Amino acid sequence: EAAAGLEGVCSMLRLPLQASPEGLDAAFVGVPLDSGTSHRPGARFGPCRIREESVLLRAVNPSTGALPFQSLKVADLGNMNINLYNLQDSCRLIREMFQHIVTAGCIPLTLGGDHTITYPILQAVAKKHGPVGLVHVGAHTNTADKALGETVHHRVPFRRSVDEGLLDCKRVVQIGIRGSSMTLDPYRYSRSQGFRVVLAEDCWMKSLIPLMAEVRQQMGGKPLYISFSIDALDPAYAPGTGTPEIAGLTPSQALEIIRGCQGLNVVGCDLVEVSPPYDLSGNTALLAANLLFEMLCALPKVTTV
Amino acid sequence: EAAAGLEGVCSMLRLPLQASPEGLDAAFVGVPLDSGTSHRPGARFGPCRIREESVLLRAVNPSTGALPFQSLKVADLGNMNINLYNLQDSCRLIREMFQHIVTAGCIPLTLGGDHTITYPILQAVAKKHGPVGLVHVGAHTNTADKALGETVHHRVPFRRSVDEGLLDCKRVVQIGIRGSSMTLDPYRYSRSQGFRVVLAEDCWMKSLIPLMAEVRQQMGGKPLYISFSIDALDPAYAPGTGTPEIAGLTPSQALEIIRGCQGLNVVGCDLVEVSPPYDLSGNTALLAANLLFEMLCALPKVTTV
Amino acid sequence: EAAAGLEGVCSMLRLPLQASPEGLDAAFVGVPLDSGTSHRPGARFGPCRIREESVLLRAVNPSTGALPFQSLKVADLGNMNINLYNLQDSCRLIREMFQHIVTAGCIPLTLGGDHTITYPILQAVAKKHGPVGLVHVGAHTNTADKALGETVHHRVPFRRSVDEGLLDCKRVVQIGIRGSSMTLDPYRYSRSQGFRVVLAEDCWMKSLIPLMAEVRQQMGGKPLYISFSIDALDPAYAPGTGTPEIAGLTPSQALEIIRGCQGLNVVGCDLVEVSPPYDLSGNTALLAANLLFEMLCALPKVTTV
Amino acid sequence: EAAAGLEGVCSMLRLPLQASPEGLDAAFVGVPLDSGTSHRPGARFGPCRIREESVLLRAVNPSTGALPFQSLKVADLGNMNINLYNLQDSCRLIREMFQHIVTAGCIPLTLGGDHTITYPILQAVAKKHGPVGLVHVGAHTNTADKALGETVHHRVPFRRSVDEGLLDCKRVVQIGIRGSSMTLDPYRYSRSQGFRVVLAEDCWMKSLIPLMAEVRQQMGGKPLYISFSIDALDPAYAPGTGTPEIAGLTPSQALEIIRGCQGLNVVGCDLVEVSPPYDLSGNTALLAANLLFEMLCALPKVTTV
Amino acid sequence: EAAAGLEGVCSMLRLPLQASPEGLDAAFVGVPLDSGTSHRPGARFGPCRIREESVLLRAVNPSTGALPFQSLKVADLGNMNINLYNLQDSCRLIREMFQHIVTAGCIPLTLGGDHTITYPILQAVAKKHGPVGLVHVGAHTNTADKALGETVHHRVPFRRSVDEGLLDCKRVVQIGIRGSSMTLDPYRYSRSQGFRVVLAEDCWMKSLIPLMAEVRQQMGGKPLYISFSIDALDPAYAPGTGTPEIAGLTPSQALEIIRGCQGLNVVGCDLVEVSPPYDLSGNTALLAANLLFEMLCALPKVTTV
Amino acid sequence: EAAAGLEGVCSMLRLPLQASPEGLDAAFVGVPLDSGTSHRPGARFGPCRIREESVLLRAVNPSTGALPFQSLKVADLGNMNINLYNLQDSCRLIREMFQHIVTAGCIPLTLGGDHTITYPILQAVAKKHGPVGLVHVGAHTNTADKALGETVHHRVPFRRSVDEGLLDCKRVVQIGIRGSSMTLDPYRYSRSQGFRVVLAEDCWMKSLIPLMAEVRQQMGGKPLYISFSIDALDPAYAPGTGTPEIAGLTPSQALEIIRGCQGLNVVGCDLVEVSPPYDLSGNTALLAANLLFEMLCALPKVTTV
Ligand SMILES: [Mn+2]
Ligand SMILES: [Mn+2]
Ligand SMILES: [Mn+2]
Ligand SMILES: [Mn+2]
Ligand SMILES: [Mn+2]
Ligand SMILES: [Mn+2]
Ligand SMILES: [Mn+2]
Ligand SMILES: [Mn+2]
Ligand SMILES: [Mn+2]
Ligand SMILES: [Mn+2]
Ligand SMILES: [Mn+2]
Ligand SMILES: [Mn+2]
C-alpha cells in the first residue's frame, strides 16, 4: 500500500510491462508517430505523457461499476518502434505490429501518435475481423484525399480505410465534426459512403445518451473499432493537440460516448492526437488517460457490479 | 496545393497584404495598442498572434454556408502604426486610419489591441454612417467615466461614444456582462442610455439563438457595428486576456451571437483584448481568429450556399 | 482613486493587513501547507497567488447585491506559520491559530493549502460551535482511512472529522464527487455516516439552484462550514490543482452553490487545493479569489441591496 | 523560527510594511509602471513578483559580510500609485513620491517598473543632493530623443536627466551596452556628455573587479545613484524583460558591479525592467530580488564583519 | 517614425516582402520543415517566430560598423512551400527553390527548419559555385549514415553532401561538437574527410577570435557556406531546439564566429533547429534573429564604417 | 536500429527494468520524495522526467572514452516506494532499500528527490563501507540544524551524517556554495568538521580541473560518495529546482567535477533537487540525465578507450 502513486516506472495505469501480447486479453501500446501531422507536431510524445498522467487513476470505475482488472489480463506493451522519417514505412511497421497483437487474441488500446496510425491499425484489425464498424470521435472527418501527392497522413485515414474495404460503412459514425473547410460540402464523402456524421453543433449543450442509444442499435453485435481523437473536445479541455478546433465536445459528452459503447463488440480502440508540447499543465494527457481507462472498462468481457 | 499551411508570411487567413483599402470590400487591420489596459498588458501582440493562428482556417464556412472570398474582395492591411506612449495621440492615429478605410468603402475587421481602440474606430464609422447600432460582446460594459482624470482607456470606450453621439442608443446590446464592481448598480449608465444589458448569468447553459432573434429585430436594417472582447468568454476558453472574469460565455454561444448577425447591415467589426503573453497554448488567438472569420462570413454581401 | 489596481502590497482584496483577529467580523488567512498532497504539490503557494489575483476584484457584488465591506469589518491576517516537514505538528499549529480566530468572534475565510488543513480548522470551529453542518464541494470525498499508517493527509480530513465528532453528519453534503477509485463503493463511508453525496455526473449540464434549495432546508439555521476544493471544477477552469479529475463542475455551478448558501449560518469557509506551479495563466488563482469573495458575500451579517 | 519561508504576506525580504518613510534609513518601494515600454510589456507586475521571490533570501550576506538589518532601519513602503494611462502624469506622481522619501532622509531602493521611472526619481534625488553620479547597468544607453513627439518613455530617461542637469556627467558610467541601433554611432550622445560607456563585448569572459576599481575612483565620495536594468544580463539569466538583447552580462559580473560600489556614497538605487509574464520560472524576479538585496548591503552605513 | 516596433506584418527585420529573388543581393527565406527531426519537433514554426522576434532589431550593427541595408538590396521571400509528409519530396522542392534563388544572383539567408534542409540547399549552392567551403556551427556533426534505411533526415546532411561532392572538404570546419554517441569515435568520419572538428570542450571559457583567424586563413577567398544550428549554443541560451546538448557555446562565441567570417566569400547561410514550442519566452527565436542579422552584416558586399 | 529514440517505456538511458539489484554492478533508482523541501516543491517528479529526457543519450561517452555498458551490468530499478506524508518514515524506507542495494554489491545511482534522501542513503552506504569521503556539489552546505524541532529535511543531511559518523570528514568537499544566510558564518560548521568548502565565487570563470586534481589527492583510494544537487548550477542552466541561487556553476564546470572523479573509488552517487514543475522546457531534467550518465561513466570498473 503506497501513500502516493509515484512508485515504479511510468507504465500505463501502473500495469506490468510485457514484451509480447501472448496471453493477454487486452493491451495498451504506444505509437509515437507524428510525422503525419499537418499543423502542430508533438504527438510522438503523447504515449509517454499519457502514461505519466495515468498514475492518478485507480482500478475501479465507480460510475459504470466496471472492474477491468478482475476480468481481463491486461499489460502495457510499451511503445512500438516506428520510422519517423518515412510515413509509408511507419504504416507498414504499425500494420505488422498490430497484426501480431490481434492474432494473439489481444484487444489493442492504442496511445497515439497522430491520426495517421488508425489506418494501418484498421488494416490489421480488418484482416482478422473483416470490415468493422467504427465509432470515430473527433473534430475532422479525416477523409481527405491526397495532398501534394501524398496518400498517407493524418487527414486521410478513413478515406484510405474505405478504399481498402476495412470499414463496414453502414456502421460508421463520426461525432464532433466541425471547423472551416476547403470545399463546399466537406461531409459529402462520409455521407456518400453511408457514414453517420454528427456535427459538434448538434451536440452543443446536449446529453449524448440518446445518440448513443441509436449508435448501439446501429452497431449491433458485430465487431466495432473506437477511434477517439482528443481534438473532439473543446481546446479548453484539451489544449495539447495538433489541429485544435473551437466549440467542441465536453468531457462529460466524451464519457457518455465511451460508456455508451459498453456491451458492444469492441475489438480495438485508440486515443490519438495528444501533443504534449502544447499541454503545459499535463491535463490533456490526463484526460486522454481517463478516456483510455474508460475504453478499457467498456470492453466486452469486463465484469461490472 | 500545399501539404500543410505553413507557406508564405503570416497574414490574416493567408490573405494578400495590401497597403491601401482602395478597391476592397472588407479588410483586416491590426491595431497593436495596449496602453489603455488596466490590468494584464500584452494585447499589443494580439494582431500578430491572431494572424499566426489564423493559418489553420480554410476558405469555406460549412456551418453557415458562407463563401466569403467568392463574394468579397478582402485583404490584410497589416498593423497600423500607433503611439504606445500616448493614448490620446493613438486615438487620433486610429481615427484617421479608420476614416481612410471607411471612406474607401471598405468594411474594417479589426484585430486588437485593447478595448480603447473601439472608441476612435466608432468615431470614424459614425462620421460616415451616422450613429450606429452596436452588438457589444464582453465581460465589462466599458462605460466607466474618468480614472485619475484620464478620459481615454479600455474601460470607457462606450461612455465616450455616447458622449459624442456615435451610437444609436436604442440599438445597443451588451452581452456577457459580469463581475464585481465599484458601484451599487454598475449597469445603470448603460440602461439609462437605452442599452440592452444581457448578463452572463442570464446566458448560462442556454442557447443564445432566441436572444439573437430579438437582437436582429432590434437592429433592423440600419448600420451596425460589432465589438467583441474576447473576455466575454470564460477564461477556460480564452486565458489570454487582460481582465479575465470567471463564469463567462462559451465558444458555441459566441458563434450563435455572430452567426445571429448574418443578414444585418454590419459596417464594421473588432475583436479585442487578446493578450498573447497569457496565452501560452495560442488557443486564445486561435479562438479570436475563428471569431473574426465568422464575422467576415456574416458581412452583408457574403454569398451563402 | 487609482487608474489601475496595482498600488500597495498584495493583500487579499486589498484589505488592510492585521496581525490579530480581535475586533474583526471576518478575516482571510493563508495556510501555506501542501505536504499532505498525494500527487502534484504546490498548494503552499496558493495563498500568495490568490491574493495577487484578487486585486482584480472590486468591493460590490452586483449579482447578489452584497456590500460586504459596508457591513463587516474584514482584514487579511496574512499567512500563518506552519511546519512543512511534519504534518501532525502543522495540524496542531493550524488548530491553535483557528481557535484563536474563532474565539475572537471572527469568521475565518481560509486560503489553502491542501485539503488536510480542513481537519484542524474543523477542530477549532467545532470546539466553539459544536458539531457543524458542512457544504463540501470537491472531486473527492476525502474520507479515506490511513495510508502507510499515516492518519493525516489530504485524502482523510472528513474521516478524521467524523472520528472526532466535529460534524453534524445529517447536515453534510458533498458536491462534485467523481473519479476512479480503489474500492467498489467509494461513497459507502460517506453515505453510511448520513452524508448526502452529489456526484458530478448528476450535475452535468444542470443548474444547481434546485439542489441548493434542498441543501438550505437541510442545513436549517444551525452552524455550517463551507469547504471548497478547487478540484470540484473541471480542470479546464482550474488546471492549477493537485489531483485534477476530468468532467467536473463549471464556474457558474460553483457560483450557484455559494450564492445558494446566502442566509445560512456560515461560521467558516475555506478554498483549498490551488497549486500555482500548475496554473501558468494565474486563472485558477483568479477563480479561487472570486469564490472566496463570493463566500464573504454569503456570510450571515452581510448587507444586500 | 519557521520551517520554511512562507509565513506573512509577501513584503520585500519579509520586511515590515510601512506607509511612511519617516524614520527609515532605507526603504524598498514599488513603481508598477510599464506604459513607457517599447516592446514586451509586463513590468507593472515586477514589484509584486520580486517581493514574492525575495522570501528565499536571508538576512546576512556572507560574501560581503554585510549585516544590513543590524545597521539600518529598513521597511517596505509597498507599491506607489501611478497613472498607467498617462506617462507624463505618472512621472509627476513618481517625482512627488520620491521627493517625499528623500526629504525624509530615507534612501529609496526601487522595484520597477520600466526604465522610464528613473527619470522622475532622479529629479527627486537631484533636488536634494544636486547633480549625482550614476552607475547605470543595462543593455541600452536610454539616451534616445523623442519618438513620435513623445519626450518620456523607457528609452530616454538619461537624455531627459542630462537636459535637466540632474547628472554629474563626469561621474556617469554605463555598463553592459550592446545591440543593434538606428544610428551609426549610438554611443555618441553619451560620450559627448562625458559618460563612460562600457560595452558588453568589453566585459565578455572578464571579471569586472578591475573596472569597478576605476569606477570607485571616478565616483569619489560624492552622491551616486545606481540604476540597474535587468536587461544588462544575458536573456539566459533574465528572460523576463521587455527588450532583451543577446550576449549580455552574467550574474557574477552583476554582483561584482554592485559589490564594487560598497563604500561609495550611494543615495538611491533602482532595479528595473523585470517583466513577469515573460518570466515563467520566476527566476528573473529572483535574480532581481538578489540584486536589490546586494544594493541594500552596499549602502553607506551598513555594518560589515 | 514609430514609437515602437509593432507596425506592419511580421517580415524578417521588417523588410519588404517579395515573391521573387530577381534583383536582390540577398534574401531571407523560410523553410518550415521539421519532419527530419529525431527528437523534439516544432522547427516548422521556426521561420514564423524568428520573424516575429526580429522586429526588435534595428538597421545598424554598431559592433561591426556594418550598414547592411545601405549596400545590399534585401527582401524577405516568405516561407517556401514544402511537403511535410515526404522528406525526399521536400528535399526536391527545397533544391529547386534555392536553385532559383542562387541563379538570380541572390544570396540566401535561410530560416529553418531542421538541419535536413542544408543538404538540398547545398545541392543548389554547389550547382552554381562548385564544391563550397563550410563553417558549420552546431552540437552534432550530422554525418550519420542511414537510419532504418532512410538516407535523408537531420542527422545526415553533411554525409549526403560529401557523397555528392558538394563540399570542398579541406575547407570544412565544424564548431561546437559534443554529446554522447553511438560509436567509439563519432568524429572519425568528419576527420577522415578532412574536416576540422572543434569540440565544444575546446571552446569552454575561451574567446574564439584566434580560432576564427585560422578559419579565415583556411577558407581563403573561395566560396563558403555558413550553416548555423542553434543547438551549438548551450540550452540555457537556446532552450527551443530539437536535440539540446548540455555544455555548449555562448552567444558571445557565436558572435565571434559569425563576425570572424566578415571579409570571406560567403555565398549562403542558414540558421536551423529553432523549435518554438520549446521556446516559451521567445528568446531562442530572438537569438536566432540576431545571428541571422549578423550573418547578413558579414556578407561580402556590405559597407562598414 | 531505430530512426529515433521513442520506442519502449521511459527507463533511464533505455536500460532494462529490473526489480532486484542482484547481479548488477550498478543501478539507477528513483526516490520520488520532496516533502523535505523548504521552498518550491516538485522534486517527487524528478525521477520520472529525468528518465524521459535520458532517451536522448547514447551509449558511448566520446569525451572521456568511457564505454559503461561494455564493462558494467546496469539496470533501472524504477522508483522505490516512499511515504510522502512522513519524512522520518521515508528515511527508514530509503535506508532499507539502499541497504538492500549495496548489500547486493550494486552501486546505486540515485535520481532524486530532494536532498533529504542523501542522509538515509549515506546510512546504508556507510553501513557497508564505513565512513565515506564525499564530493558534494550544490549551492547550500545542507548542514543546518533543526527547524521547528524537525531533525530531517533537505537542509540538514550532512549535519545528520556527521552526527552519525557516516562521513570521513577529512575527505569531504563541498563545491558551489553560495547565497545569503541566517548566520554570520554559515560555513563554520562545515569547516570545523574538516570539510573543504569551495565557494561558487571562487569558481567563477575558472576551469575546475586544478581543483579536481587536489580533490583526487584528498580522496585517495578510499570509498567516496558523490552527491550532486542540481542547484549547484546557475538557474539559467537549471531553472527547475527547489531553492535556486544566482551566480552558480556552469555545465562545463559540472562536467569537469564529475570527470575529475574518474579513477576514484566511487561507491554511490545521487543527483537531487530537480523539480519538473519549474522546468517547462525539460532542460533541467536533460542536464540531470547527462550528469547521471557522466557519473556512471566515472565509476571504478568502467572501461575507457
Ligand atoms: Mn497519486
Ligand atoms: Mn483531427
Ligand atoms: Mn495546417
Ligand atoms: Mn473587458
Ligand atoms: Mn486592475
Ligand atoms: Mn480533491
Ligand atoms: Mn524558504
Ligand atoms: Mn534596456
Ligand atoms: Mn520595439
Ligand atoms: Mn544538431
Ligand atoms: Mn532521439
Ligand atoms: Mn540546495
Side-chain angles (χ1 to χ4, degrees), chain A residues 34-42 44-45 82-87 89 147-148 150 152-154 277-278 280, chain E residues 34-42 44-45 82-87 89 147-148 150 152-155 277-278 280:
Chain A
D34 66 358
S35 34
T37 306
S38 59
H39 199 61
R40 297 180 186 168
R44 65 181 69 181
F45 296 120
I82 52 89
N83 181 346
L84 271 179
Y85 310 132
N86 188 318
L87 268 170
D89 192 41
L148 281 181
E150 300 307 315
V152 182
H153 53 83
H154 83 151
Y278 294 90
L280 292 172
Chain E
D34 66 359
S35 33
T37 306
S38 60
H39 199 60
R40 298 181 184 167
R44 66 182 68 182
F45 296 119
I82 50 89
N83 180 346
L84 272 179
Y85 310 132
N86 187 319
L87 268 170
D89 192 42
L148 280 181
E150 300 307 313
V152 182
H153 54 83
H154 83 152
R155 289 178 169 164
Y278 295 89
L280 291 173

Side-chain angles (χ1 to χ4, degrees), chain F residues 56-96:
Chain F
L56 255 180
L57 281 149
R58 297 292 171 265
V60 179
N61 187 335
S63 302
T64 69
L67 302 164
F69 304 115
Q70 287 200 1
S71 17
L72 302 183
K73 187 155 166 40
V74 190
D76 182 341
L77 300 178
N79 280 0
M80 64 166 288
N81 196 5
I82 51 89
N83 180 346
L84 272 178
Y85 311 132
N86 187 319
L87 269 169
Q88 299 276 3
D89 191 42
S90 282
C91 286
R92 178 187 58 84
L93 291 165
I94 297 169
R95 186 179 62 240
E96 290 171 6

Side-chain angles (χ1 to χ4, degrees), chain E residues 123-246:
Chain E
Q123 288 179 315
V125 166
K127 190 170 181 185
K128 168 151 186 176
H129 297 285
V132 291
L134 176 70
V135 174
H136 165 214
V137 196
H140 312 99
T141 59
N142 294 332
T143 54
D145 206 337
K146 289 180 285 195
L148 280 181
E150 300 307 313
T151 57
V152 182
H153 54 83
H154 83 152
R155 289 178 169 164
V156 304
F158 301 116
R159 183 94 166 213
R160 291 295 85 78
S161 297
V162 169
D163 290 348
E164 300 185 13
L166 312 175
L167 295 175
D168 179 4
C169 293
K170 293 291 169 271
R171 291 194 299 124
V172 173
V173 59
Q174 299 187 298
I175 307 172
I177 306 302
R178 62 196 189 276
S180 60
S181 63
M182 283 184 266
T183 61
L184 283 179
D185 183 356
Y187 322 127
R188 185 164 46 180
Y189 177 83
S190 288
R191 285 171 175 157
S192 70
Q193 306 305 317
F195 297 4
R196 178 173 186 181
V197 178
V198 182
L199 299 181
E201 58 195 270
D202 294 324
C203 300
W204 291 347
M205 287 177 270
K206 281 198 195 115
S207 167
L208 300 186
I209 291 175
L211 170 69
M212 292 311 295
E214 295 173 22
V215 169
R216 272 201 307 280
Q217 200 127 28
Q218 182 186 8
M219 294 297 154
K222 285 192 284 184
L224 168 76
Y225 186 84
I226 303 175
S227 183
F228 202 117
S229 169
I230 202 72
D231 67 21
L233 286 118
D234 192 278
Y237 306 99
T241 195
T243 49
E245 296 285 351
I246 69 164

Side-chain angles (χ1 to χ4, degrees), chain D:
Chain D
E1 177 213 28
L6 301 163
E7 69 283 0
V9 158
C10 287
S11 65
M12 185 65 185
L13 300 173
R14 312 170 195 226
L15 285 163
L17 291 162
Q18 193 168 313
S20 154
E22 306 300 333
L24 298 176
D25 296 299
F28 293 97
V29 57
V31 184
L33 180 82
D34 66 359
S35 33
T37 305
S38 59
H39 199 59
R40 297 180 185 168
R44 68 182 66 181
F45 296 118
C48 182
R49 288 292 168 95
I50 293 170
R51 283 190 185 95
E52 192 177 328
E53 298 298 333
S54 77
V55 301
L56 254 180
L57 281 149
R58 297 292 171 264
V60 179
N61 188 335
S63 302
T64 68
L67 301 164
F69 305 116
Q70 287 202 359
S71 19
L72 300 183
K73 187 155 164 40
V74 191
D76 182 341
L77 300 177
N79 280 1
M80 63 167 290
N81 196 6
I82 52 89
N83 180 347
L84 272 180
Y85 310 132
N86 187 319
L87 269 169
Q88 299 277 1
D89 191 42
S90 282
C91 285
R92 177 187 59 81
L93 290 164
I94 297 168
R95 187 179 63 240
E96 291 171 6
M97 166 59 98
F98 280 78
Q99 281 175 351
H100 182 55
I101 295 171
V102 298
T103 300
C106 171
I107 297 178
L109 297 127
T110 304
L111 292 67
D114 73 51
H115 224 145
T116 310
I117 68 174
T118 305
Y119 162 50
I121 294 173
L122 284 173
Q123 288 179 316
V125 166
K127 190 169 182 186
K128 166 152 187 174
H129 296 284
V132 291
L134 176 70
V135 174
H136 165 215
V137 195
H140 312 99
T141 60
N142 293 332
T143 53
D145 205 339
K146 290 179 284 194
L148 280 179
E150 300 307 315
T151 57
V152 181
H153 54 83
H154 83 150
R155 289 177 167 164
V156 304
F158 301 115
R159 183 94 166 213
R160 290 296 84 78
S161 297
V162 169
D163 292 348
E164 301 185 13
L166 313 175
L167 295 175
D168 179 4
C169 293
K170 293 291 169 272
R171 291 192 302 124
V172 173
V173 59
Q174 300 187 299
I175 307 173
I177 306 301
R178 61 198 191 274
S180 60
S181 62
M182 283 184 266
T183 61
L184 283 179
D185 183 356
Y187 322 127
R188 187 165 43 181
Y189 176 83
S190 288
R191 284 171 174 157
S192 70
Q193 305 306 316
F195 296 5
R196 178 173 186 181
V197 177
V198 182
L199 299 180
E201 58 195 273
D202 293 326
C203 301
W204 290 347
M205 287 176 269
K206 279 197 198 118
S207 167
L208 300 187
I209 291 175
L211 170 68
M212 291 312 295
E214 295 174 22
V215 168
R216 271 202 307 279
Q217 199 126 32
Q218 182 185 6
M219 294 299 154
K222 286 191 283 183
L224 167 76
Y225 187 84
I226 304 176
S227 182
F228 201 117
S229 169
I230 202 72
D231 67 20
L233 286 117
D234 193 278
Y237 305 100
T241 195
T243 49
E245 296 285 350
I246 69 166
L249 305 187
T250 66
S252 68
Q253 291 176 323
L255 291 175
E256 288 174 339
I257 293 168
I258 298 173
R259 292 174 184 174
C261 291
Q262 210 170 7
L264 295 179
N265 186 5
V266 179
V267 298
C269 310
D270 63 52
L271 190 299
V272 295
E273 298 285 353
V274 172
S275 174
Y278 294 90
D279 183 34
L280 292 173
S281 68
N283 288 344
T284 308
L286 177 66
L287 177 53
N290 272 274
L291 297 182
L292 281 158
F293 174 70
E294 294 281 342
M295 292 189 212
L296 173 68
C297 291
L299 291 188
K301 288 186 279 181
V302 170
T303 316
T304 60
V305 287

Side-chain angles (χ1 to χ4, degrees), chain C residues 85-191:
Chain C
Y85 310 132
N86 187 319
L87 269 170
Q88 299 277 1
D89 192 41
S90 282
C91 286
R92 178 187 58 82
L93 291 164
I94 297 168
R95 187 179 62 240
E96 291 171 6
M97 166 60 99
F98 280 79
Q99 281 173 351
H100 182 54
I101 294 173
V102 298
T103 300
C106 172
I107 297 177
L109 298 126
T110 305
L111 293 66
D114 71 51
H115 223 145
T116 311
I117 67 175
T118 305
Y119 162 52
I121 294 174
L122 284 174
Q123 287 179 314
V125 166
K127 190 171 179 185
K128 167 152 186 172
H129 296 285
V132 291
L134 175 70
V135 174
H136 165 216
V137 196
H140 313 97
T141 59
N142 294 332
T143 53
D145 205 338
K146 290 180 281 192
L148 281 180
E150 300 307 316
T151 56
V152 182
H153 53 82
H154 82 150
R155 288 174 169 167
V156 303
F158 301 116
R159 184 96 166 211
R160 290 295 85 77
S161 297
V162 169
D163 290 349
E164 301 186 12
L166 312 175
L167 295 176
D168 178 4
C169 292
K170 294 291 170 270
R171 289 193 301 124
V172 173
V173 59
Q174 300 188 299
I175 308 173
I177 305 302
R178 61 199 190 274
S180 60
S181 62
M182 283 184 266
T183 61
L184 283 179
D185 184 356
Y187 321 128
R188 187 166 42 181
Y189 176 84
S190 288
R191 286 173 174 157

